[in-house]
Amino acid sequence: MKKTITFLIALSVLLTMLSGCTSSDGNIEDFTSIIAGIWQRNGNLHDMRLEIQEDGNWTNQELRDGTWEITDQGIISYDEEYKMFNFETENKFYPVEYSSDGGEVLHYKNDNYYRLDTSVDGFAAYNGTWYLNGDRNSDYYAFDNGEWKWYEPQNMAHVSVNSGNLAWDETVGELLAYSSADGEVFAAFRPSDTGELISNGVPYVFMDDLSSDEISDSNDATSMEDSHEAEKGQSLIVLNEFYFLNGEQGRPSFYFYSDGQVDYDESYDSQTVEAVYTIDDDQITIKLPTGELMGTLAIMDAKVLVDVSDGDIGDFYKLAQGD
């Protein structure tokens, strides 16, 4: 979600006008005393960290192999012309805005940071697909380690129409879906006691929590023999998870469902191509709805799919949880 400095300046000026924001009248010491402490991007304890000292020094840190390493650092300054505070380095400056409207948030580099003591231990618990009212014919969200995509039904299929990153707001107890398109909250979810995610008063249901009978009914299931063969083959791969080209996030990916559907994406914000797959012994054959062969992958193990087709679609890897 990189933006130009012009956009960041405009964003900061706008946020200064909103209720719940503070300018501290340009006093750096007052501003620093308010924001001093440790902040986690998206309220995620595994994401980037901001550590702000009482003397106005700050560091941006990344968790690498269990150790926090500094990726950027500098001092806090104030811009009289634009009436805003900046995080300055030796050769750059980044506007920063503090908001306390409904909870403390730091806006920095077009991202949202939350206090360490209100942050959570990642978003892996939400990984998978969540359908509106548990209906596979309705819209749904796909969550993957802090990233999300929203799909809506179109012409007997589902099309990805928005995406972004997740954040946790402890103040209101909600999971926030920020859109990568404009940086705004696209949807807010409140986890229910029954395991659903409630958004705008309606539930989104994690489909893997449904019984096999419910899944069969919702998909007009085929015969018992076909179901048995599907389950046998699907046990070789990981369902409802992303496989990335060469194991690199942001590269083309496959996402396999239990009903024989597979989504293909060139990138995380690209238009999704819906295809179908079948498994024969240790090979996956993927075809477009038109019947055109997309490619064949050999299942080396549950995490490694090697291209054995003429289509040269490449090798795909399931990333370890939390990567």
Side-chain angles (χ1 to χ4, degrees):
M1 296 191 295
K2 296 180 180 178
K3 305 290 183 183
T4 63
I5 193 66
T6 302
F7 174 81
L8 286 170
I9 291 173
L11 176 64
S12 295
V13 172
L14 174 62
L15 289 171
T16 303
M17 299 169 62
L18 299 177
S19 62
C21 298
T22 178
S23 66
S24 297
D25 296 323
N27 188 303
I28 295 177
E29 290 185 359
D30 289 347
F31 182 67
T32 301
S33 67
I34 293 173
I35 67 171
I38 297 177
W39 302 75
Q40 298 290 148
R41 187 167 67 177
N42 299 322
N44 182 355
L45 294 173
H46 300 285
D47 209 332
M48 297 293 291
R49 165 179 290 185
L50 273 174
E51 187 167 354
I52 304 167
Q53 306 295 332
E54 293 279 359
D55 60 5
N57 287 290
W58 61 270
T59 58
N60 205 188
Q61 305 170 26
E62 183 178 6
L63 187 61
R64 298 173 180 170
D65 298 324
T67 302
W68 288 101
E69 297 184 8
I70 295 176
T71 60
D72 214 352
Q73 59 185 325
I75 62 171
I76 297 175
S77 62
Y78 184 73
D79 190 309
E80 290 286 352
E81 180 180 357
Y82 292 103
K83 306 299 181 185
M84 65 183 184
F85 292 94
N86 297 316
F87 280 1
E88 277 197 37
T89 66
E90 290 184 356
N91 52 16
K92 296 180 180 179
F93 70 92
Y94 305 99
V96 60
E97 185 67 49
Y98 167 79
S99 172
S100 60
D101 184 18
E104 291 187 289
V105 183
L106 269 185
H107 306 280
Y108 165 66
K109 285 188 176 181
N110 206 29
D111 287 324
N112 298 290
Y113 284 75
Y114 297 81
R115 292 281 188 185
L116 175 67
D117 58 0
T118 64
S119 297
V120 295
D121 190 19
F123 301 107
Y126 302 103
N127 283 359
T129 51
W130 299 75
Y131 283 82
L132 176 64
N133 293 317
D135 180 2
R136 288 182 181 272
N137 295 317
S138 296
D139 65 77
Y140 70 89
Y141 288 86
F143 296 148
D144 182 55
N145 292 321
E147 295 183 317
W148 63 270
K149 277 190 172 185
W150 181 59
Y151 296 80
E152 64 177 4
Q154 291 185 14
N155 300 323
M156 304 301 292
H158 282 84
V159 178
S160 174
V161 293
N162 209 336
S163 62
N165 63 274
L166 296 173
W168 177 254
D169 189 340
E170 177 65 24
T171 305
V172 293
E174 288 185 338
L175 188 67
L176 305 179
Y178 282 93
S179 172
S180 58
D182 57 16
E184 298 294 327
V185 175
F186 178 76
F189 303 92
R190 185 182 299 274
S192 71
D193 295 336
T194 56
E196 300 167 336
L197 294 178
I198 309 300
S199 180
N200 291 325
V202 296
Y204 282 82
V205 181
F206 182 52
M207 292 303 290
D208 282 6
D209 286 339
L210 296 178
S211 68
S212 58
D213 288 339
E214 289 172 316
I215 293 176
S216 296
D217 291 342
S218 66
N219 290 311
D220 296 325
T222 56
S223 67
M224 290 295 292
E225 180 179 354
D226 291 338
S227 298
H228 174 73
E229 289 301 318
E231 291 172 3
K232 179 180 178 182
Q234 288 162 357
S235 66
L236 300 175
I237 61 175
V238 181
L239 299 176
N240 300 320
E241 295 284 355
F242 288 98
Y243 285 81
F244 289 95
L245 179 63
N246 298 327
E248 301 175 10
Q249 284 185 304
R251 300 291 302 279
S253 66
F254 283 112
Y255 193 96
F256 296 95
Y257 298 88
S258 61
D259 60 0
Q261 177 184 322
V262 56
D263 287 349
Y264 176 77
D265 293 281
E266 285 289 341
S267 63
Y268 207 80
D269 58 357
S270 67
Q271 184 84 358
T272 296
V273 175
E274 290 189 342
V276 294
Y277 72 94
T278 56
I279 297 179
D280 185 14
D281 292 330
D282 60 350
Q283 289 190 351
I284 303 177
T285 300
I286 302 173
K287 294 183 179 181
L288 297 173
T290 60
E292 179 184 353
L293 178 66
M294 191 171 182
T296 303
L297 299 170
I299 306 173
M300 308 307 292
D301 58 45
K303 296 183 178 180
V304 181
L305 307 178
V306 176
D307 184 16
V308 293
S309 62
D310 296 332
D312 192 26
I313 59 177
D315 302 335
F316 287 77
Y317 298 80
K318 163 71 177 69
L319 299 184
Q321 197 81 298
D323 286 359

